[in-house]
Amino acid sequence: MDELTRQLRRREFLKLAGAVGATAGLGAFLAACGASTASTAASAVASAAPSAAPSMAPTAAASAAASVAASVAPTPGPTGTFNWLTWSDHWYQAELDNIKAAINISANVTSFSDNIDAYTKIQQVGGQVDMVSGDALWVPHYYESQLIDPFDINSLQVASQLYSVARAFSIWTTPAGYLGYPNGWSPVQITYDPAHVTAGADSWQLLLDPKYKKRVIVEDQPVEIMAYMGKAAGVKDPYNMTADEIAQAKALLVQLKPNILRLAPQNTDTIAALKNGEAWIATINLGADISVKNQGGPELTTFTPKEGTIGWMDSEMIVHGGGNTNLLMPFLEAHEQAENVAANFMINKRPLFNEKAYKLLINQGQQELADHMLYNKPETVNTMTLKGPGSSTQAVIAAFNDVFGA
Amino acid sequence: MTGEVRDGAGAAPLAGSSNGFLKRAGRAVPALPGLAVLLFLFVVPMLIMFLFSFWKTNGDFKVVQEWNIGNYLRFFTEGTYLRTFVKTLVMGTIVTIAALGISLPFAYFLVRYTGQRTQRIVLLAVIVPFWTSYLLRVYAWQAILGEHGALNQFFMGIGLIDKPSMFFVYDDPGVFVVLTYVYFPFAVLALYSALEKFDFTQLTAAQDLGARPDQAFRYILLPQIRAGVITACIFVFIPILGEFLTPTLVGGAQSSLIANLIVNYLRQAQFPEGAALAIIIAGFVTLVMIVFRKSFRVEDVVTRA
Amino acid sequence: MPKKASPVDSMPVGRFARQTRWGLIALTGAVLVFLYLPIAFLILFSFETAATPGLPITGLTLHWYQVLFADGSIQKAVGTSVLVALIVTVIATIVGTMVAFPLVRGGLPKPGVLRLGFTMPIMIPGVLLGIGLLIFFRQVLKVPLGLQTVVAGHLVFTIPFVVLIVSARLQGFDRRLEWAAADLGADTRRTLRYIVLPLIAPAILAGALMCVTLSIDEFVITFFTIGPQQTLPLYIYTQIKFGVTPEVNALATLMLAVTMTLLLLGTGLMALRGRVTARRRRNAEQL
């Protein structure tokens, strides 16, 4: 009985110690969270300024955050927290903290990766989320499914800072109002390392050249891959392909497969592969080549294929039936100010639709970078085939599975 | 001997007297919460998905109730699914063998040669790294196995090879290594709890009776930890049938396993199509477990009598 | 008090016993290296200057730790993950153990079928389970999503692991110990508490450890069953457009450090308690 009692006591003690330790650790951790969120504004500004890492927000972010706090006059308006389902490049912590400090509206951010995930979520949970981000043709899809509410974009003062083309996209315009507040955009481009790849390429065919076995890296997005194979085959609308068109795209995909190093799950994988020299050619969004160079990788050449390309442009949508909708307009007024947008550009290096921010970037001496990112050419979106829910999705996946199965 | 059946063994005191419906129903009470979870949080949602699998997704991403078995036929008529499934079975088998091959001596060493406190510490040491993000650990493996990774640099440094080996890079061998790494702790935990209860004096007795150590191992130890070995196999092999992250993260263009193909449908909201494929896989495993049900016997030797 | 001779010590040794023993030690060492090698790199990457974790290391910095401490949202995500994992582990371990007993000892009809039933959640790809649960919660039950639905979702695939481990352990349990206890006058409850549970404690511990491991890094099912909250795996896996920065490595390193410290403290305290009890007993015997 002795042995057993000791075992039992020991086990109970271990459990107790574990529970106490875990609770104490958790409590301490949460206390630290609480403490640090309060001082985040100060520390974020302090840490943002002297940062050494290439892609972190430089002093611009610090001054942006401060100046926004100044420019958004603290009028007595609604306060509280709302729920925002969005991508991680639509916001940065210092900005959210400063908005909270200025007008006492805080955003409870949850993230997602693909439009379809957010759409499924919103379809099921509806008003549990107040604001959701989405791409291009997904926006009208949300509207047709009665999941979002249109609004008068011109009622927002900050909307005057947008490029005029961004306030009038036909796919986002309805009689009841505009469907989303425009954020940013990018086409899919091809980038290559001129040290290993013959210069002068201008077509999707570069990906298929047998010289580059296992040297091409693409992101693991079956529908998108088939879409630009469709583009390579000359298809006009690669998101709504006929059976014939799918067959053509699939034939090209079969040629592409041996060239693929890997189907990258994340953008950073593409950048890392280009930086290491594991991959010589990649399909990327704007800005990836700069990231590669900043991390010490080779100088890459980027081009938009002549057959045309796909791309995205995203926006913030107001979810129908959200409980905190009254907070969204004041939040957007603060969040979409040029100073924040300019700082966001410097962090993520993607073109955004705020024209005033472009001027700020010029003042900050970043014109070359902004122009490289086609920041001042938002009309480029009209040349891209925009992402969206396509009617041929199922058939496209069947074709993709056929090629990439064992 | 452990497991010897006595007369009237069915009336083991802990079970209470074996007669009376209420008494029998009473014995099932502890299982009720677990059964409730299984029923409401698994069976019902899966029934919903089973229903879905006979419907279709239209071009508008909506599920329409057009009854059809096309989603099931797809698995058999389009060759890619069968081929990929076979490849997944093969991968699952070799990973299970590797994981068991490593974890059995590991757990054996722990149980036989170390004290209980050391065992607990080592077990925790094995498990704690797996509380960090899976993604980060796999990225770390890329840094080890990659073209410019630590392994290649090591072998080049000691002169074994003169240019980086691409053997593990974005290919099936890399997937194999990482899968073994990921599922090894599950095998260890299952084998540890089986070995821990084993009475090692039986091996002494066997050797007293003239058995060689390996004979004692084979005829005394293995049969008694069989339940644990089978549990370990289940913990490793079955989740591999649903594995899609490792092939995506570490594999190349030709490393897709069956779950990758299924997930390609599900991630594009083609739920009926994906559900049917997943149900076929689950059905196959269920079939195997039924056919080999004698090996999977779950009842006590006492209860069986 | 003389140290009790372990039965292992008195075993006759085979011809290759020493080699076997050293072989096993080498294997155990190799396994631990195999387990911790990626962890070592993970920790290393938390200090590197490049924004993408990976080789080659261009420089070392504490910058990512600074970012981590300023990042309220990732801290909240960690807190949520840990909380969910703890709740799930406690419930799953208790519920799973409770199921194992009637399953193995004949309290349930068709135990083979039930065990198969409990194995099935492991077989189903998480995505399917997640979607099924989402539809079930929202269309059938019409409950709002939140941490309670996440816990429910996690329970579905963690309970089977506990059931399988504990029932495997119970299967070969030497009933004669219980019968002996009954002969000595113990009732069911006492036997359970003082004989059975302590002896299957390692299996229960193993099951609990599996639950924590499974729950804390679970992404797929969490994504479909969570409300406007965030867990750490969600945070990491949804950064697909931009990828993880070494900030996450810094977080992982800290979590590892905290967990290991807590566990070492726990086992250290346990050892201390054992020694105190032993000394007290010695003192009592001397009186």
Side-chain angles (χ1 to χ4, degrees), chain B:
Chain B
M1 279 280 118
T2 312
E4 176 197 59
V5 172
R6 268 210 222 152
D7 279 333
L14 204 62
S17 89
S18 53
N19 297 322
F21 173 72
L22 270 180
K23 260 275 158 47
R24 288 228 319 273
R27 275 156 59 188
V29 161
L32 283 180
L35 289 173
V37 167
L38 190 67
L39 181 66
F40 290 113
L41 293 177
F42 179 72
V43 172
V44 172
M46 285 301 107
L47 277 177
I48 296 176
M49 297 317 286
F50 183 65
L51 273 180
F52 270 41
S53 69
F54 292 106
W55 298 339
K56 279 188 187 174
T57 316
N58 68 2
D60 230 9
F61 293 87
K62 292 196 178 17
V63 177
V64 287
Q65 294 185 16
E66 281 177 36
W67 295 88
N68 76 101
I69 56 168
N71 299 325
Y72 287 95
L73 287 179
R74 178 179 290 119
F75 184 86
F76 298 101
T77 53
E78 292 180 32
T80 180
Y81 299 100
L82 277 171
R83 288 193 306 266
T84 316
F85 184 51
V86 168
K87 176 175 176 177
T88 314
L89 290 176
V90 170
M91 177 67 85
T93 309
I94 56 177
V95 171
T96 306
I97 294 174
L100 278 177
I102 304 174
S103 50
L104 190 55
F106 183 81
Y108 180 80
F109 173 76
L110 267 191
V111 173
R112 175 150 164 207
Y113 290 100
T114 63
Q116 214 183 31
R117 223 179 70 222
T118 323
Q119 286 171 27
R120 292 227 176 113
I121 295 178
V122 172
L123 269 187
L124 288 170
V126 165
I127 274 286
V128 164
F130 290 79
W131 294 350
T132 57
S133 165
Y134 169 95
L135 199 71
L136 295 180
R137 281 178 278 130
V138 175
Y139 275 138
W141 268 112
Q142 286 177 12
I144 300 171
L145 297 175
E147 190 180 353
H148 305 276
L151 203 66
N152 270 324
Q153 297 199 7
F154 174 70
F155 283 131
M156 288 204 293
I158 63 173
L160 212 64
I161 52 176
D162 38 46
K163 76 177 188 33
S165 153
M166 299 291 280
F167 183 64
F168 289 108
V169 179
Y170 304 129
D171 206 351
D172 292 333
V175 176
F176 165 73
V177 170
V178 177
L179 280 178
T180 310
Y181 174 81
V182 169
Y183 288 102
F184 163 79
F186 295 177
V188 167
L189 285 177
L191 285 176
Y192 168 77
S193 42
L195 275 171
E196 192 268 341
K197 73 172 192 245
F198 179 71
D199 182 3
F200 283 91
T201 55
Q202 294 174 53
L203 295 180
T204 319
Q207 289 180 331
D208 283 345
L209 291 167
R212 293 193 314 266
D214 63 286
Q215 283 178 324
F217 184 83
R218 200 172 137 206
Y219 293 110
I220 310 290
L221 177 66
L222 277 187
Q224 287 182 47
I225 59 168
R226 208 177 66 148
V229 171
I230 289 178
T231 309
C233 289
I234 292 178
F235 281 1
V236 176
F237 186 82
I238 288 181
I240 287 184
L241 296 179
E243 256 286 346
F244 63 93
L245 271 177
T246 304
T248 309
L249 292 170
V250 199
Q254 57 288 336
S255 307
S256 292
L257 298 181
I258 187 70
N260 289 92
L261 303 185
I262 297 176
V263 159
N264 283 342
Y265 275 113
L266 293 173
R267 292 302 302 279
Q268 294 295 326
Q270 312 288 314
F271 300 138
E273 292 73 13
L277 297 172
I279 288 172
I280 291 180
I281 307 299
F284 170 82
V285 180
T286 311
L287 203 66
V288 168
M289 291 188 77
I290 291 177
V291 166
F292 291 102
R293 64 184 173 286
K294 290 225 172 51
S295 319
F296 295 121
R297 271 287 185 72
V298 71
E299 311 90 53
D300 234 2
V301 272
V302 168
T303 320
R304 247 181 264 169

Side-chain angles (χ1 to χ4, degrees), chain C residues 113-270:
Chain C
V113 173
L114 281 177
R115 179 175 167 171
L116 184 64
F118 274 104
T119 314
M120 297 209 69
I122 311 180
M123 288 186 221
I124 307 282
V127 190
L128 195 67
L129 197 53
I131 293 169
L133 282 169
L134 175 63
I135 297 179
F136 176 64
F137 285 138
R138 292 296 306 160
Q139 308 286 0
V140 176
L141 293 183
K142 301 212 198 306
V143 295
L145 299 184
L147 290 185
Q148 68 281 2
T149 45
V150 174
V151 168
H154 284 206
L155 284 177
V156 179
F157 67 88
T158 49
I159 288 178
F161 281 95
V162 178
V163 171
L164 287 176
I165 288 188
V166 176
S167 62
R169 174 69 182 89
L170 271 181
Q171 216 176 322
F173 191 81
D174 190 353
R175 291 294 202 93
R176 293 171 302 168
L177 291 171
E178 297 170 59
W179 298 334
D183 284 346
L184 291 167
D187 67 0
T188 316
R189 186 172 290 167
R190 279 179 82 84
T191 319
L192 195 67
R193 189 164 160 217
Y194 291 108
I195 310 281
V196 184
L197 282 184
L199 286 174
I200 64 171
I204 299 182
L205 177 70
L209 286 178
M210 289 207 75
C211 288
V212 179
T213 315
L214 290 167
S215 170
I216 209 160
D217 200 29
E218 171 56 36
F219 160 64
V220 178
I221 294 186
T222 313
F223 177 79
F224 288 107
T225 50
I226 202 166
Q229 296 93 4
Q230 186 88 309
T231 62
L232 182 62
L234 270 180
Y235 182 98
I236 298 176
Y237 285 89
T238 51
Q239 291 197 4
I240 231 175
K241 266 191 179 173
F242 289 89
V244 292
T245 59
E247 180 196 1
V248 189
N249 291 62
L251 177 66
T253 310
L254 278 183
M255 284 174 73
L256 221 86
V258 167
T259 321
M260 295 217 149
T261 315
L262 283 177
L263 290 170
L264 280 173
L265 274 177
T267 39
L269 282 170
M270 210 171 60

Side-chain angles (χ1 to χ4, degrees), chain A residues 4 7 33 110 122 165 167 198 223 228 263 265 276 278 301 327 363 382:
Chain A
L4 287 171
Q7 277 199 3
C33 290
T110 44
I122 301 290
V165 62
R167 271 172 280 150
T198 33
V223 176
Y228 50 77
L263 295 164
N276 290 339
E278 286 176 341
T301 312
L327 300 175
N363 290 345
N382 295 325

